[in-house]
Each structure stands twice: as C-alpha cells, then as structure tokens.
C-alpha cells in the first residue's frame, strides 16, 4: 500500500477489500491504483479501516522476519478471534520487521 501496512483481505457479502489501520490516511493506493475507502473503526475495540480496489485481493499476505517485511508468502486458511494473553506476529511498513505482540 502507498502509505500504511496492508492487513488481511476482508469480505462483506461478495465485496472483497483489504484492511489497514484506521489511524492511516483514508486516501490509499496499491500498485499505482487508487483504493476506495469503505469504512473504519478507531476506538477501544480496535484500529482498522478497509478499502476496495479494481484488482482482485487474494487471501494471502507476506510475512517477514527480523531482516525484512516481504519474505514468506502466506495463505489464509482459517480465521479466529484473538484472546487476552495470546501472542500475535505483525509486520510494520515503517520498521520492515516482524515483531510479536501480546494481547492484553
């Protein structure tokens, strides 16, 4: 994405898009194509927004390691809810590093 780290592919009905953080600008592009802002939530229960575009958004993402953010292509095969005490890995566009955070 042009400005912020892209998250996962999101769907509502038959509409597919891509998630990012709500604290990011609503004006995003990917691969040189403008994305259409759809909605966001930035509050106690999260920091997420989503966009749609003209390109197909696959259910995959790049995971990183301590050297870079685009190292391993991963495919989403299931979904779940994070729970308190669980550790999650994340990649950052600014840091280009994979870090682990704990849900509290």
């Amino acid at each position: 994405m042009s400005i912020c780290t892209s998250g996962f592919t999101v769907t509502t009905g038959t509409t597919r898009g891509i998630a990012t953080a709500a604290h990011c600008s609503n004006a995003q592009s990917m691969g040189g194509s403008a994305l259409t802002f759809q909605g966001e939530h930035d509050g106690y229960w999260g920091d997420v927004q989503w966009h749609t575009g003209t390109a197909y958004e696959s259910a995959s993402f790049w995971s990183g390691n301590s050297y870079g953010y685009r190292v391993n292509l991963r495919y989403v095969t299931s979904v779940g809810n994070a729970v308190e005490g669980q550790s999650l890995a994340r990649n950052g566009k600014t840091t280009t590093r994979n870090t682990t955070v704990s849900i509290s």
Side-chain angles (χ1 to χ4, degrees):
M1 292 183 76
S2 57
I3 300 170
C4 279
T5 305
S6 63
F8 294 98
T9 301
V10 293
T11 58
T12 178
T14 59
T15 304
R16 292 178 74 113
I18 193 148
T20 191
H23 64 263
C24 295
S25 167
N26 295 349
Q28 299 281 335
S29 65
M30 181 175 269
S33 297
L35 298 174
T36 302
F37 173 79
Q38 296 295 326
E40 70 179 8
H41 171 79
D42 189 3
Y44 182 78
W45 295 107
D47 177 6
V48 65
Q49 65 177 241
W50 74 289
H51 301 260
T52 56
T54 56
Y56 174 78
E57 300 296 342
S58 67
S60 62
F61 65 98
W62 287 96
S63 68
N65 59 26
S66 60
Y67 303 106
Y69 68 95
R70 192 177 166 124
V71 179
N72 303 301
L73 182 61
R74 308 279 187 182
Y75 293 93
V76 177
T77 57
S78 65
V79 297
N81 294 316
V83 296
E84 188 172 341
Q86 179 180 6
S87 293
L88 301 172
R90 65 176 183 184
N91 283 12
K93 183 172 182 149
T94 302
T95 63
T96 67
R97 299 280 167 80
N98 188 31
T99 58
T100 301
V101 295
S102 294
I103 304 298
S104 57

